[in-house]
């Protein structure tokens, strides 16, 4: 069934809480609905939205927003050709990703626990390759089930063909606009596989469970949730789109020049936080934003979140898209001036800023 809403307010459908509207919203509850949609006749542009947790609407959206609200979930135990203990779970694109993580942990299935509490829906997890605490969606994605808007057919794309990278995939680049994700099959396992090496997880786990009981996915899920709650805004209180910027990866030479400059200012022992990525170095954008003095800085209703400066929040609930954009511009320009690095927003900007006339 397709539910149509004209001039639909979107403020409770984007986690940033931008008070914008779209000309038409279509809520689809089954993949078959896609076959009955005449895309050509819809107000343009057409935008497919999941949980609205990684977007910034720049103004009222003049076209159609399609929300695939597909909520089916099916399980295949011990599929042939897979290691013992494997369980394949096909998750409808409209299922809230964290509900899936909670369901998997409750069933004692390993794989999704480090991804707990990431906002958004399952469909978007496969587009964006969400990640946290040393795990990315691609590590557990088996197949992405899609509807091809060009050929009006359904197909299954194996993980290996999606060109997954850091917060990116073919769905965001060469296939942009072509497919609508209908479901994602995740590969979980009954065989314990705790991933604790990402900074902070092991020690937070030891604090919560000092007795070294046998680990369960629920124990790791609860630990990850507690870490996230300490650093990130509570979505029920403060609007945001999670990390606003991607962490930049720079050459080792560039990193060493930054280190040298910082040491000249802060002392010879100072260490710039970083992670090696092959020959390159990833420097946390949060650190650079903090060094540039942006922690807690406000512009109108927009604010750089004091506890995690990688996040921009709608601190008053009434922030305008233009205020978020201005803060974004100031952060990018200061970081570039100080470190010679242009930060790229992780958050997708949708539509355009209304002209002032
Ligand atoms: N840091 C600072 N100052 C701060 C906060 C952090 O200097 O105020 C530095 C610290 O050195 C810290 C480092 O930044 O060690 C990295 O911080 P953190 O581990 O919190 O992760 P992140 O790089 O800021 C990424 C993801 C998050 C994910 C976390 C945990 C991106 C863009 N963001 O953030 O994802 O939860 O790692 O794995 O990669 C999201 O995508 O919305 C999201 C929240």
């Amino acid at each position: 069934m397709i539910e149509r809403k004209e001039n639909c307010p979107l403020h409770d459908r984007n986690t940033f809480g931008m008070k914008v509207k779209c000309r038409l919203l279509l809520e689809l509850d089954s993949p078959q609905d896609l076959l009955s949609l005449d895309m050509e006749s819809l107000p343009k542009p057409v935008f497919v939205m999941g949980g609205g947790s990684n977007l910034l609407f720049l103004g009222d959206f003049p076209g159609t927003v399609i929300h695939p609200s597909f909520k089916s979930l099916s399980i295949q135990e011990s599929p042939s050709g897979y290691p013992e203990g494997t369980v394949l779970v096909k998750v409808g694109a409209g299922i809230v990703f964290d509900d899936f993580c909670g369901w998997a942990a409750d069933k004692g299935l390993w794989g999704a626990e480090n991804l707990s509490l990431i906002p958004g829906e399952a469909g978007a997890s496969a587009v964006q390759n969400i990640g946290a605490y040393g795990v990315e969606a691609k590590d557990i994605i088996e197949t992405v089930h899609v509807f091809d808007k060009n050929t009006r057919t359904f197909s299954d794309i194996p993980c290996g063909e999606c060109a997954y990278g850091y917060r990116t995939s073919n769905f965001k680049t060469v296939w942009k606009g072509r497919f609508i994700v209908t479901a994602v099959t995740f590969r979980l396992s009954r065989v314990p596989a705790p991933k604790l090496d990402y900074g902070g997880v092991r020690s937070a786990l030891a604090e919560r469970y000092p007795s070294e009981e046998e680990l369960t996915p629920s124990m790791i899920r609860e630990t990850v949730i507690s870490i996230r709650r300490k650093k990130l805004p509570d979505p029920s209180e403060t609007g945001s789109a999670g990390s606003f910027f991607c962490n930049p990866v720079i050459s080792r030479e560039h990193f060493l020049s930054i280190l040298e400059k910082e040491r000249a200012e802060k002392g010879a022992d100072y260490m710039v936080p970083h992670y090696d990525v092959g020959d390159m170095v990833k420097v946390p954008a949060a650190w650079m934003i903090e060094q540039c003095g942006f922690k807690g800085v406000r512009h109108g209703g927009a604010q750089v979140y004091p506890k995690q400066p990688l996040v921009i929040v709608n601190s008053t609930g009434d922030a305008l898209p233009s205020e978020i954009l201005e803060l974004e511009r100031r952060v990018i320009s200061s970081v570039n001036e100080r470190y010679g690095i242009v930060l790229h927003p992780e958050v997708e900007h949708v539509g355009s800023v209304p002209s002032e006339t």
Side-chain angles (χ1 to χ4, degrees):
M1 205 192 72
I2 303 179
E3 197 183 339
R4 294 173 65 93
K5 289 181 186 156
E6 314 247 341
N7 286 321
C8 182
L10 296 172
H11 63 268
D12 55 358
R13 291 173 179 267
N14 74 100
T15 59
F16 238 135
M18 291 298 112
K19 291 182 173 154
V20 295
K21 285 193 248 174
C22 65
R23 174 141 169 235
L24 179 66
L25 178 99
L26 299 178
E27 191 87 53
L28 275 50
D29 71 6
S30 139
Q32 297 307 314
D33 292 337
L34 290 164
L35 292 172
S36 61
L37 257 191
D38 175 12
M39 296 277 180
E40 287 312 305
S41 68
L42 298 174
K44 304 280 178 313
V46 173
F47 178 69
V48 180
M49 184 167 88
S53 60
N54 201 48
L55 352 140
L56 174 62
F57 279 105
L58 300 179
D60 286 341
F61 189 71
T64 307
V65 172
I66 298 180
H67 179 222
S69 187
F70 313 145
K71 303 238 191 254
S72 66
L73 187 139
S74 58
I75 305 161
Q76 205 186 340
E77 291 268 359
S78 312
S80 63
Y82 288 84
E84 206 177 312
T86 301
V87 178
L88 298 179
V89 188
K90 186 173 177 183
V91 182
I95 291 186
V96 170
F97 188 79
D98 186 56
D99 289 351
F100 159 65
C101 296
W103 171 90
D106 284 349
K107 291 240 171 308
L109 295 172
W110 291 86
E113 59 283 354
N114 290 44
L115 302 175
S116 292
L117 216 62
I118 295 183
E121 296 178 355
S125 73
V127 171
Q128 150 91 352
N129 187 25
I130 58 174
Y133 305 106
V135 175
E136 286 182 316
K138 72 163 171 54
D139 302 334
I140 54 168
I141 289 174
E142 183 69 15
T143 310
V144 186
H145 309 272
V146 297
F147 176 73
D148 186 333
K149 289 201 276 180
N150 296 346
T151 59
R152 300 180 64 80
T153 53
F154 293 100
S155 60
D156 299 334
I157 307 179
C159 180
E161 289 175 20
C162 299
Y164 282 120
Y166 171 56
R167 299 293 191 278
T168 190
S169 71
N170 278 343
F171 295 106
K172 288 182 83 170
T173 56
V174 289
W175 296 337
K176 194 165 172 62
R178 176 170 162 199
F179 295 115
I180 294 178
V181 176
T182 56
V184 185
T185 295
F186 294 101
R187 191 183 53 257
L188 304 178
S189 178
R190 297 204 179 278
V191 179
K195 297 217 165 54
L196 310 178
D197 291 336
Y198 189 94
V201 177
R202 194 182 297 278
S203 56
L205 187 74
E207 248 172 59
R208 289 175 75 83
Y209 302 101
S211 62
E212 287 193 17
E213 307 160 54
E214 200 178 311
L215 288 178
T216 64
S218 291
M219 286 159 76
I220 296 177
R221 170 174 166 75
E222 279 157 26
T223 304
V224 164
I225 288 177
S226 74
I227 302 176
R228 288 186 77 97
R229 288 222 164 108
K230 271 188 212 141
K231 294 203 303 198
L232 298 170
D234 177 349
S236 67
E237 281 170 16
T238 311
S240 85
S243 300
F244 195 92
F245 297 101
C246 285
N247 287 319
V249 177
I250 58 175
S251 69
R252 190 159 303 273
E253 212 182 351
H254 192 165
F255 170 72
L256 291 173
S257 76
I258 291 175
L259 183 62
E260 196 182 324
K261 252 176 141 171
E262 292 293 317
R263 285 187 168 170
E265 248 179 58
K266 296 175 176 140
D269 292 340
Y270 186 78
M271 190 33 102
V272 171
H274 65 285
Y275 309 92
D276 291 338
V277 184
D279 292 343
M280 311 281 280
V281 181
K282 187 185 268 191
V283 182
W287 174 80
M288 291 187 273
I289 299 169
E290 182 179 359
Q291 300 306 307
C292 291
F294 273 97
K295 255 188 170 176
V297 166
R298 291 172 190 271
H299 178 72
Q303 185 188 24
V304 174
Y305 194 58
K307 284 194 243 167
Q308 169 50 300
L310 193 57
V311 176
I312 293 182
V313 296
N314 176 357
S315 70
T316 56
D318 288 319
L320 302 172
S322 58
E323 293 169 346
I324 310 263
L325 279 179
E326 174 58 15
L327 199 50
E328 168 190 335
R329 195 196 59 73
R330 284 168 54 188
V331 167
I332 292 176
S333 138
S334 295
V335 167
N336 191 19
E337 215 167 279
R338 184 166 170 143
Y339 297 108
I341 294 173
V342 178
L343 291 181
H344 292 284
E346 199 222 319
V347 169
E348 185 177 356
H349 295 44
V350 182
S352 48
V353 182
S355 58
E356 305 225 336
T357 50

